């Protein structure tokens, strides 16, 4: 059912994009017309709701509290990372993630603290979009989706699949639903709060923030699929006038 | 054993010219980048003096007219001289403001060269590390450098900042934005110039507001 809804939404997004785009298509962004409209919508929503809420959250909390919230939501993300690392056949990372979850859930008091990092077990972060990338699935065209922001067909499918794959969604105990909702809300709030300066900076210093975000998203996801292996700049042709000195 | 020695000598001879070229471009980047950072950190300079000195270094370090033309993409080749001059004057101011703001994150730190590659003749990519004053993390900064025909001087074409494995190339990203803006405005260079002017005014306004709020904070902390 979830997959059907996801496919329907994806299909609508693509169809709307095809209708909205006019003129010559940018090969890096064939649905630019639709994407820019969605970007405008998400941006307005962010300015009206998410940004003020994130700033309010920062105003009423101090750094240790925010750190605890980030640790808590990160810890609840470890089972999903673990599942994806297994699907990527990355056993060493999966073992590390499992270890982190056990240590932080116990010694770290339900994940509020992150002693695993102090023990030298670095945090990794994997989702099904990255798993598909590791399996060789191409990302497809860049998409901006309402409420969800930057994506592409591979990540959109991955986002839906992560709901089904996340062990946290199957745990049953009193208050489990409250925990899941809290995790979703706090995770979003924490992520938006930590990006206040970066997003401000992009809005204020970049001539075309949409293009900046698109390029950053595409590169960043490619780096995440590669597990952050350093990428060098493709050697581009240098025009003669630049070499003439 | 002799064969191994021969192979080793051969490898050294073959790699020596490239290594030498790397070392020269590495030394250039290290010296120039640290000189620029020193200017940003010079407390004896007023804000205007710092900006003027920074602009001077930008001209020594990079060749701004070429960067200005390149970031326009295909449009850069079709502008009249008068149009280009008008655009260049605005671009120069904008680039100085933006790059000064970007490098300000590394104020008080120094750059350390960690290696380089020569992807083509007269071209080097120099990898450096610098600590971010804001996050305290070591950040990889890559310099795309051109060597002059006589091999005596260099020019920086682009600067890449590695954020968790994803490198943001400042000039290349600027080119994507400028091209996109021109595409959506029928290639109207005057609209681009107006937009850049607006951005410069906004950045200066914010810098002024930021300085005023810092001053207000320090005055309230140390009244009288």
């Amino acid at each position: 059912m979830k997959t059907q809804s996801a496919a329907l939404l994806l299909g609508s997004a693509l169809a709307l994009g095809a209708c909205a785009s006019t003129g010559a298509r940018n090969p890096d962004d064939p649905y630019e017309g639709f994407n820019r409209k969605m970007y405008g919508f998400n941006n307005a929503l962010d300015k009206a709701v998410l940004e003020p809420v994130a700033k309010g959250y920062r105003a009423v909390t101090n750094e240790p509290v925010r750190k605890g919230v980030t640790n808590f939501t990160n810890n609840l993300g470890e089972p999903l990372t673990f599942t994806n690392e297994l699907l990527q056949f990355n056993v060493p990372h999966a073992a590390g993630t499992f270890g982190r979850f056990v240590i932080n859930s116990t010694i770290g008091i339900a994940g509020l603290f992150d002693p695993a990092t102090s023990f030298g077990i670095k945090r990794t972060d994997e989702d099904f979009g990255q798993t598909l990338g590791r399996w060789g699935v191409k990302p497809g065209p860049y998409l901006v989706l309402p409420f969800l922001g930057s994506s592409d067909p591979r990540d959109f499918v991955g986002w839906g699949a992560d709901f089904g794959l996340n062990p946290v969604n199957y745990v049953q105990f009193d208050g489990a639903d409250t925990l899941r909702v809290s995790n979703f809300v706090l995770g979003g709030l924490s992520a938006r709060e930590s990006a206040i300066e970066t997003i401000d900076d992009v809005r204020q210093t970049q001539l075309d923030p949409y293009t900046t975000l698109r390029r950053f998203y595409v590169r960043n996801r490619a780096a995440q699929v590669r597990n952050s292996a350093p990428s060098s700049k493709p050697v581009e042709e240098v025009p003669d006038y630049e070499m003439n000195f | 054993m002799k064969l191994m020695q021969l192979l080793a000598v051969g490898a050294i001879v073959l790699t020596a010219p490239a290594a030498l070229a790397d070392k020269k471009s590495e030394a250039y980047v290290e010296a120039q980048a640290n000189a620029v950072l020193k200017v940003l950190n010079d407390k004896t300079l007023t804000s205007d003096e710092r900006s003027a000195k920074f602009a001077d270094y930008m001209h020594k370090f990079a060749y701004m007219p070429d960067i200005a033309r390149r970031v326009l993409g295909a449009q850069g080749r079709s502008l009249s001289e008068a149009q280009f001059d008008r655009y260049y004057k605005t671009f120069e101011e904008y680039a100085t403001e933006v790059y000064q703001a970007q490098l300000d994150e590394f104020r008080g730190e120094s750059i350390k060269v960690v290696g380089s590659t020569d992807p083509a003749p007269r071209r080097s990519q120099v990898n450096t590390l610098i600590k971010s004053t804001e996050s305290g993390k070591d950040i990889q900064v890559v310099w795309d450098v051109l060597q002059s025909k006589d091999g005596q001087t260099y020019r920086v074409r682009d600067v890449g900042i590695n954020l968790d494995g994803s490198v943001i190339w400042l000039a290349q990203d600027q080119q994507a934005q400028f091209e996109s803006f021109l595409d959506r405005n029928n290639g109207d260079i005057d609209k681009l110039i107006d937009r850049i002017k607006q951005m410069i005014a906004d950045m200066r306004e914010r810098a002024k507001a930021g300085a005023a709020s810092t001053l207000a904070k320090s005055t309230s902390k140390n009244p009288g």
Side-chain angles (χ1 to χ4, degrees):
Chain A
M1 184 61 197
K2 265 178 192 158
T3 316
Q4 278 175 335
S5 310
L8 192 67
L9 190 54
L10 178 66
S12 315
L14 292 172
L16 279 171
C19 296
S21 52
T22 53
R25 285 185 172 201
N26 178 352
D28 293 332
D29 191 5
Y31 300 104
E32 184 173 355
F34 167 77
N35 287 341
R36 280 193 184 269
K37 281 186 184 137
M38 288 304 109
Y39 169 79
F41 170 76
N42 289 341
N43 206 29
L45 185 74
D46 181 76
K47 280 184 179 166
V49 182
L50 299 181
E51 188 182 21
V53 170
K55 285 185 173 169
Y57 168 65
R58 183 179 282 188
V60 299
T61 53
N62 60 18
E63 184 74 41
V65 168
R66 290 195 295 273
K67 184 79 190 144
V69 169
T70 306
N71 287 339
F72 176 76
T73 57
N74 282 350
N75 191 51
L76 284 179
E78 302 283 22
L80 180 63
T81 292
F82 171 76
T83 308
N84 277 295
E85 282 168 340
L86 285 183
L87 290 171
Q88 293 172 27
F89 312 111
N90 192 341
V91 176
H93 276 194
T97 301
F98 182 78
R100 281 183 59 83
F101 185 67
V102 170
I103 292 168
N104 287 347
S105 301
T106 51
I107 305 172
I109 314 172
L112 287 172
F113 299 94
D114 180 14
T117 296
S118 325
F119 298 154
I121 312 174
K122 264 179 79 176
R123 180 170 177 264
T124 50
D125 194 4
E126 297 291 336
D127 55 55
F128 197 66
Q130 291 174 66
T131 299
L132 289 173
R134 295 295 287 184
W135 290 351
V137 177
K138 299 280 177 240
Y142 176 70
L143 293 172
V144 183
L145 301 174
F147 303 103
L148 298 177
S150 293
S151 189
D152 56 46
R154 184 181 70 192
D155 281 346
F156 185 67
V157 170
W159 180 78
D162 279 333
F163 273 103
L165 287 173
N166 195 346
V168 172
N169 288 339
Y170 297 98
V171 178
Q172 291 302 329
F173 57 90
D174 275 351
D177 287 339
T178 311
L179 177 79
R180 281 188 273 271
V181 173
S182 309
N183 180 37
F184 178 75
V185 172
L186 288 173
L189 192 59
S190 174
R192 184 60 186 88
E193 185 276 330
S194 66
I196 288 176
E197 282 78 16
T198 310
I199 293 176
D200 264 359
D201 196 44
V202 169
R203 281 180 180 153
Q204 290 167 4
T205 63
Q206 302 299 304
L207 186 119
D208 182 9
Y210 167 82
T211 299
T212 303
L213 289 177
R214 171 175 64 77
R215 289 169 62 84
F216 182 75
Y217 179 80
V218 170
R219 273 188 305 226
N220 195 41
R221 287 301 283 170
Q224 286 173 346
V225 168
R226 289 193 313 266
N227 280 335
S228 296
S231 57
S232 61
K233 188 184 189 184
V235 181
E236 54 183 349
E237 192 96 352
V238 178
D240 288 345
Y241 65 82
E242 286 197 49
M243 295 301 281
N244 196 22
F245 76 106
Chain B
M1 185 63 192
K2 271 206 170 154
L3 181 68
M4 290 306 286
Q5 279 173 339
L6 208 61
L7 282 174
V9 171
I12 290 165
V13 169
L14 282 172
T15 55
L20 199 62
D22 283 349
K23 290 292 166 217
K24 274 176 74 179
S25 50
E26 285 175 13
Y28 171 81
V29 165
E30 191 162 58
Q32 299 296 324
N34 282 327
V36 172
L37 291 167
K38 210 172 153 190
V39 167
L40 288 177
N41 202 37
D42 189 344
K43 291 188 176 73
T44 64
L45 298 174
T46 64
S47 166
D48 287 345
E49 285 170 341
R50 188 178 297 122
S51 294
K53 269 203 151 186
F54 181 79
D56 278 352
Y57 267 112
M58 287 270 289
H59 280 282
K60 277 187 205 161
F61 210 14
Y63 187 62
M64 294 295 280
D66 281 354
I67 294 178
R69 199 174 285 280
R70 176 162 27 103
V71 296
L72 289 176
Q75 294 273 350
R77 290 187 288 277
S78 60
L79 292 184
S80 71
E81 212 164 296
Q83 279 177 317
F84 182 77
D85 287 347
R86 218 166 53 242
Y87 152 77
Y88 178 67
K89 214 173 149 235
T90 314
F91 174 81
E92 198 184 9
E93 270 184 70
Y94 171 69
T96 307
E97 290 284 339
V98 169
Y99 293 150
Q100 190 174 349
Q102 301 270 2
L103 285 173
D104 209 40
E105 191 190 340
F106 307 114
R107 186 187 284 247
E109 301 294 339
S110 63
I111 266 192
K112 193 172 80 182
V113 171
V114 290
S116 61
T117 52
D118 287 349
R122 292 176 56 201
R123 297 189 62 183
S124 296
Q125 283 191 9
V126 180
N127 296 310
T128 62
L129 280 183
I130 183 165
K131 201 181 279 298
S132 162
T133 320
E134 283 172 16
S135 67
K137 279 186 190 167
D138 269 342
I139 293 187
Q140 188 196 358
V141 181
V142 192
W143 308 78
D144 185 358
V145 180
L146 285 182
Q147 190 184 39
S148 64
K149 283 177 189 166
D150 63 8
Q152 296 306 304
T153 56
Y154 293 86
R155 279 177 185 169
V156 174
R157 284 191 87 232
D158 206 346
V159 179
I161 300 174
N162 189 339
L163 298 172
D164 297 328
S166 172
V167 181
I168 304 221
W169 290 95
L170 301 182
Q172 206 178 54
D173 272 307
Q174 209 151 52
Q175 181 176 341
Q177 292 182 56
F178 281 26
E179 283 185 313
S180 168
F181 184 91
L182 287 168
D183 277 351
R184 287 178 295 111
N185 289 280
N186 300 317
D188 189 337
I189 191 74
D190 287 311
K191 278 195 177 158
L192 178 65
I193 294 170
D194 287 345
R195 175 86 176 99
I196 298 174
K197 280 183 177 164
Q198 183 59 50
M199 293 201 65
I200 297 170
D202 288 350
M203 277 191 270
R204 287 185 179 155
E205 192 64 36
R206 274 192 306 274
K208 218 186 277 177
S213 100
T214 310
L215 187 68
K217 270 183 202 165
S218 67
T219 316
S220 68
K221 271 183 192 168
N222 309 297

